Amino acid sequence: MSLTKFVSIAGAALIVALGGTFLITQIMVPAKRFEDCVGGGVAGGAIGGPFELMDHSGQMVTDVDVLDQPALVYFGYTFCPDVCPMDVARNVVAVEILADRGLQVKPVFITIDPARDTPEHLADFVANNHPDLVGLTGTGERVAKAARSYKVYYRKQPGDDEEYYLMDHSNFTYLMMPGIGFVDFLRSDTSPQKVADRVACVIRAA
């Protein structure tokens, strides 16, 4: 092998290696950057992904349209008798606390019950919760795709009544950052103040 060819191959290998190192660094940096904020080092997990859904005004939107600023994303349904209203109320109180600190965070509600949660129902739900809340629905297939990407579990409880039924579902709130994606998840038992503190920490670290 000629020296020139050897140098070319070695140079190419070095570029690939450096490129791989750069890619790994870019993947790991978000998790490291937010480590002090999230506590568990969950940033950078494979949660979230592209979606195309209809908002509460009847407009088709994508994840790029919706997640254009820090966002608290929650999957639930408007007919939920207890957990969903409390979680959404907690999220919007946290958003208000953050707004008082000069930090803009968008609350997002994605239904897991598209059969009943039409844009009209979501519009009423939004009006009763927060003016900045974004309600999203869609076909069963599109909702299922979005839920899968966020690792959300949901299931319609068995019964004969097609109008009045309950849904079993997981109830985490996901903190999403533009250009980064998933950073943290928040449990239902996390207070509005603690949610605001963790989100503010992430925004400062970003």
Side-chain angles (χ1 to χ4, degrees), residues 75 112 146-154 169-172 174:
F75 286 77
I112 44 94
R148 283 195 302 271
S149 71
Y150 280 81
K151 310 298 188 289
V152 171
Y153 161 80
Y154 69 97
H169 64 97
S170 53
N171 58 335
F172 293 120
Y174 303 91

Side-chain angles (χ1 to χ4, degrees), residues 15 18 27 60 70-71 102-104 124 130 132 134 137 142 145 158 182 193:
I15 291 171
L18 289 175
I27 291 172
M60 292 301 297
L103 301 173
Q104 297 301 308
D124 289 340
H130 196 277
D132 293 336
V134 175
T137 187
R142 286 183 174 178
K145 179 182 177 182
F182 169 72
Q193 185 65 53

Side-chain angles (χ1 to χ4, degrees), residues 148-167:
R148 283 195 302 271
S149 71
Y150 280 81
K151 310 298 188 289
V152 171
Y153 161 80
Y154 69 97
R155 182 180 68 88
K156 179 182 175 181
Q157 289 189 5
D160 297 328
D161 197 322
E162 289 301 315
E163 187 175 355
Y164 298 102
Y165 55 85
L166 297 176
M167 302 284 293

Side-chain angles (χ1 to χ4, degrees), residues 47-181:
I47 292 177
F51 60 72
E52 186 175 5
L53 297 167
M54 183 175 290
D55 70 14
H56 59 274
S57 68
Q59 299 296 313
M60 292 301 297
V61 295
T62 68
D63 55 298
V64 175
D65 301 319
V66 176
L67 306 179
D68 58 346
Q69 65 185 69
L72 293 173
V73 178
Y74 183 82
F75 286 77
Y77 66 113
T78 67
F79 289 81
C80 180
D82 42 34
V83 177
C84 303
M86 291 189 294
D87 285 346
V88 172
R90 186 278 310 271
N91 287 349
V92 298
V93 170
V95 165
E96 289 291 344
I97 294 171
L98 289 160
D100 290 341
R101 300 181 188 178
L103 301 173
Q104 297 301 308
V105 177
K106 182 185 295 185
V108 178
F109 178 88
I110 303 178
T111 184
I112 44 94
D113 183 22
R116 291 183 296 183
D117 281 340
T118 62
E120 292 76 19
H121 271 106
L122 287 177
D124 289 340
F125 185 76
V126 165
N128 290 327
N129 280 280
H130 196 277
D132 293 336
L133 179 64
V134 175
L136 299 175
T137 187
T139 64
E141 182 181 352
R142 286 183 174 178
V143 167
K145 179 182 177 182
R148 283 195 302 271
S149 71
Y150 280 81
K151 310 298 188 289
V152 171
Y153 161 80
Y154 69 97
R155 182 180 68 88
K156 179 182 175 181
Q157 289 189 5
D160 297 328
D161 197 322
E162 289 301 315
E163 187 175 355
Y164 298 102
Y165 55 85
L166 297 176
M167 302 284 293
D168 296 326
H169 64 97
S170 53
N171 58 335
F172 293 120
T173 292
Y174 303 91
L175 172 57
M176 307 297 290
M177 292 291 288
I180 296 170

